[in-house]
Amino acid sequence: MRKTILLTGIMLGSLFVSAQSRFPTVDKSPMDMSYYPANYPILKIQDKAAEPLLARVVYSRPQKNGRKVFGELVEYGTIWRLGANEATELELFRDAKIGDTRVKKGRYTLFAIPTSSKWTIILNKDNDVWGAFRYDSKKDVARTEVPVQRVADPLEAFSMYFEKTNGNINLVMGWDDETVRMPISFF
């Protein structure tokens, strides 16, 4: 009887360990999502959504971890996926204008080429990519340059959110001591 109980315990324990090992480890740069209007899914379920969903961004949030980010970890003048892991994706639910370019509603990958004074933000039609390793400029849909603003209180995690401004919105991106705003207008 003891052997049977012991054998059953060992089998159940190994099943428990085996089941746990199937789950991936927690990512050091967790994925996040921002909406415009902010908290749209919650507002929608509460029947409080005063505006239709216009945009959503999905991105991973790398951490500063005591490092100097811009100019070192993220090299100036080099293509960057705007975050970590999978390249950041922007979904527009209406036709829009980014910089001087009209963009059809749809899902796009966002890249940036940062410098110390400005970032060139790029919308690209190649989706579901990891990093910027196979970035292809021939698939660019729009490019716009936005000025860098320095902040006194550095951000530990790369962050993105939408803000309303003059009837349009900005996609605000920041990390360490740099913040940029990419204007988006809808028609």
Side-chain angles (χ1 to χ4, degrees):
M1 181 68 169
R2 267 186 165 176
K3 287 183 181 181
T4 304
I5 291 173
L6 181 62
L7 184 58
T8 303
I10 291 171
M11 287 174 55
L12 287 174
S14 67
L15 282 174
F16 178 74
V17 169
S18 175
Q20 279 187 328
S21 66
R22 291 184 188 144
F23 288 97
T25 59
V26 176
D27 199 309
K28 292 179 183 178
S29 299
M31 194 170 284
D32 202 355
M33 186 178 302
S34 292
Y35 293 90
Y36 186 83
N39 300 315
Y40 181 81
I42 295 168
L43 295 173
K44 182 179 176 184
I45 200 164
Q46 296 173 344
D47 292 323
K48 294 180 181 177
E51 298 178 75
L53 179 60
L54 294 177
R56 173 178 64 190
V57 65
V58 180
Y59 66 103
S60 291
R61 301 186 72 186
Q63 308 294 307
K64 181 174 159 77
N65 288 332
R67 302 175 288 186
K68 175 154 176 41
V69 175
F70 295 103
E72 291 185 19
L73 180 63
V74 176
E75 295 178 30
Y76 284 137
T78 303
I79 194 80
W80 175 44
R81 63 185 138 197
L82 278 170
N85 305 327
E86 295 87 350
T88 294
E89 290 188 356
L90 172 67
E91 188 164 6
L92 301 170
F93 294 91
R94 287 184 28 200
D95 292 352
K97 190 172 184 182
I98 309 272
D100 294 328
T101 307
R102 293 179 83 120
V103 178
K104 295 273 187 206
K105 73 178 185 177
R107 188 167 57 108
Y108 300 94
T109 299
L110 281 176
F111 296 99
I113 301 172
T115 70
S116 62
S117 61
K118 68 181 179 186
W119 291 10
T120 300
I121 307 294
I122 304 164
L123 270 74
N124 187 282
K125 61 184 175 183
D126 191 15
N127 292 315
D128 303 311
V129 297
W130 201 95
F133 302 105
R134 293 190 174 206
Y135 165 73
D136 182 355
S137 64
K138 292 178 196 137
K139 296 180 180 180
D140 289 353
V141 173
R143 282 180 173 232
T144 189
E145 292 183 353
V146 293
V148 170
Q149 299 169 327
R150 302 277 178 221
V151 295
D153 192 20
L155 293 165
E156 176 61 30
F158 177 68
S159 299
M160 301 177 90
Y161 70 94
F162 294 99
E163 70 179 2
K164 190 171 188 170
T165 176
N166 300 329
N168 295 311
I169 63 175
N170 287 328
L171 175 56
V172 182
M173 299 165 258
W175 194 18
D176 196 0
D177 65 346
E178 293 191 14
T179 300
V180 298
R181 285 173 165 73
M182 181 184 78
I184 305 171
S185 56
F186 293 94
F187 30 111

